[in-house]
Amino acid sequence: MLFQNLGYPWYLATLMAFFVYAGTAQFMIIGLLAAGVGLTEIAISTFLINSRHIFYGISMLNHYGDWGLRKVYLAFGLTDETYSLVTTIDPKDAVKKKQQYFLITALNHSYWVISCTIGAVIGSSFSINTQGMEFTLTALFVVLLIEQWKKIKNLLPFMIAAFSAAVALYLFSEQMLLVSIALSVTLLIANNLIKKSR
Amino acid sequence: MSNTEYILTVILVMTIATFSTRIMPFLFFHGRGNHPIMSYIAKYTPPMIMSILVVYTLKDVNFSNEIGLYTVLAVVATITIHVWKGNPLVSIFTGTFLYMFLIQM
């Protein structure tokens, strides 16, 4: 729906829902397109915002068997919603397990494509002034940050991140994103090693 | 590049970026899902990245003019509504609408 306000035809929203299939990233791209950023930034931002999926995948390693192309599709469809469903159910029977995982993934995927298409078609019937829409990006990250805080309730990662962001911003303003992420992950691992050696 | 071609390229780039985050663990960590350092990183990386992304989106805002003030107001509104209601979509929409309203006045 928001996508429409940038003046693109509705079927592009359908295509994006089908292939990209990532709510936060699709939400984010509206802000990025409105701000007119380049393809490299889009690739990096999409990768970063979806980097949490790496950890979903890691925790599903022992659940998804060697099912060939089906497994590739299950990995492709491992969104926040799918992840929360497949980790909630616990089928005992191996054959059933494969079918249920596949069904959940495919149903979630089709609901997503259908609802994005409906949103885009409705959105094309009216338009608004999009100035300031890039704030969706800030709002999205602020909300995700609060959600992370609720889950973790530990100041450490936030302090490491704030420190790394400040250093990166001060020293390498242009490459701030990459530098601060590399620095904070390094500090995090260093912290873990120090804790262990004590 | 025409506008439609550009968006198709954007979709392709986003598809590759998203899919790589989802397929990577299955390619690289096959059978090593239970290592303690992995779960430690898995737990603490998302809050760090979110914090950094918030700073990143705000780094070019000039806090000494009215845009800076609108940004602060909209961020405070987003946080307040999110802590109060806990619904991500409501918080994002309200914060963004407030910001768009202030900036377009």
Side-chain angles (χ1 to χ4, degrees), chain A residues 2-3 8 11-12 15-16 19-22 25-27 29 33 37 39 42-43 46-48 50-51 53-55 57-58 60-62 64 66 71-72 75-76 78-79 129-148 150 152 154 156-158 160-161 165 169 173 176-177 180-181 184-185 188-189 191-192 195, chain B residues 1 3-4 6-27 29-60 70-75 78-80 82-83 86-89 91-93 95-97 99-101 103-104:
Chain A
L2 290 165
F3 199 63
Y8 301 114
Y11 58 82
L12 288 175
L15 271 182
M16 196 175 268
F19 287 107
V20 181
Y21 188 31
Q26 283 174 238
F27 211 70
I29 191 64
L33 286 174
V37 306
L39 283 173
I42 291 176
T46 308
F47 183 85
L48 288 177
N50 285 325
S51 56
H53 294 136
I54 295 174
F55 306 113
I58 289 173
M60 291 313 287
L61 281 175
N62 303 330
Y64 289 176
D66 288 321
K71 187 175 177 178
V72 175
F76 166 83
L78 192 56
T79 60
N129 182 351
T130 54
Q131 197 201 350
M133 202 181 260
E134 67 279 1
F135 189 80
T136 44
L137 210 55
T138 312
L140 172 68
F141 295 143
V142 167
V143 164
L144 292 176
L145 183 62
I146 299 172
E147 289 299 315
Q148 288 298 331
K150 284 188 198 162
I152 305 277
N154 179 346
L156 179 79
F158 299 97
I160 292 179
L169 207 54
S173 190
M176 179 265 173
L177 201 52
S180 50
I181 288 172
S184 58
V185 174
L188 182 74
I189 295 172
N191 178 272
N192 181 271
K195 243 197 257 169
Chain B
M1 219 180 338
N3 217 349
T4 306
Y6 178 71
I7 295 298
L8 289 176
T9 318
V10 167
I11 293 178
L12 179 69
V13 164
M14 290 178 73
T15 304
I16 296 169
T18 305
F19 185 55
S20 57
T21 65
R22 292 183 185 155
I23 197 73
M24 247 182 0
F26 296 96
L27 296 179
F29 300 114
H30 195 77
R32 277 183 289 172
N34 300 323
H35 196 282
I37 188 100
M38 293 304 298
S39 54
Y40 183 77
I41 295 175
K43 188 176 171 197
Y44 288 120
T45 308
M48 291 197 320
I49 293 194
M50 290 313 149
S51 317
I52 289 168
L53 287 172
V54 170
V55 177
Y56 177 69
T57 61
L58 295 176
K59 83 178 167 84
D60 294 323
Y70 299 158
T71 308
V72 172
L73 285 177
V75 168
T78 309
I79 295 172
T80 313
H82 196 66
V83 170
N87 181 330
L89 278 184
S91 325
I92 294 167
F93 275 115
T96 306
F97 279 133
Y99 183 77
M100 288 173 74
F101 173 77
I103 214 164
Q104 290 178 17

Side-chain angles (χ1 to χ4, degrees), chain A residues 17-194:
Chain A
F18 185 83
F19 287 107
V20 181
Y21 188 31
T24 36
Q26 283 174 238
F27 211 70
M28 174 198 75
I29 191 64
I30 295 156
L32 290 182
L33 286 174
V37 306
L39 283 173
T40 320
E41 281 92 341
I42 291 176
I44 295 173
S45 320
T46 308
F47 183 85
L48 288 177
I49 200 170
N50 285 325
S51 56
R52 63 185 187 287
H53 294 136
I54 295 174
F55 306 113
Y56 297 172
I58 289 173
S59 65
M60 291 313 287
L61 281 175
N62 303 330
H63 294 279
Y64 289 176
D66 288 321
W67 299 326
L69 267 181
R70 275 188 183 229
K71 187 175 177 178
V72 175
Y73 178 70
L74 286 178
F76 166 83
L78 192 56
T79 60
D80 305 275
E81 294 82 359
T82 305
Y83 178 71
S84 57
L85 285 172
V86 292
T87 48
T88 311
I89 63 155
D90 185 22
K92 296 280 175 285
D93 179 358
V95 182
K96 259 196 182 158
K97 191 169 170 175
K98 179 172 160 181
Q99 286 175 345
Q100 288 191 1
Y101 285 157
F102 192 76
L103 201 63
I104 289 174
T105 309
L107 280 177
N108 270 345
H109 193 192
S110 29
Y111 292 149
W112 180 247
V113 174
I114 293 168
S115 41
C116 283
T117 307
I118 293 174
V121 171
I122 293 173
S124 60
S125 47
F126 52 94
S127 69
I128 52 166
N129 182 351
T130 54
Q131 197 201 350
M133 202 181 260
E134 67 279 1
F135 189 80
T136 44
L137 210 55
T138 312
L140 172 68
F141 295 143
V142 167
V143 164
L144 292 176
L145 183 62
I146 299 172
E147 289 299 315
Q148 288 298 331
W149 169 254
K150 284 188 198 162
K151 231 188 279 174
I152 305 277
K153 298 262 165 121
N154 179 346
L155 263 182
L156 179 79
F158 299 97
M159 280 160 58
I160 292 179
F163 172 77
S164 310
V167 169
L169 207 54
Y170 185 69
L171 294 177
F172 316 88
S173 190
E174 289 308 301
Q175 304 295 326
M176 179 265 173
L177 201 52
L178 204 62
V179 172
S180 50
I181 288 172
L183 181 61
S184 58
V185 174
T186 314
L187 288 174
L188 182 74
I189 295 172
N191 178 272
N192 181 271
L193 295 177
I194 292 166

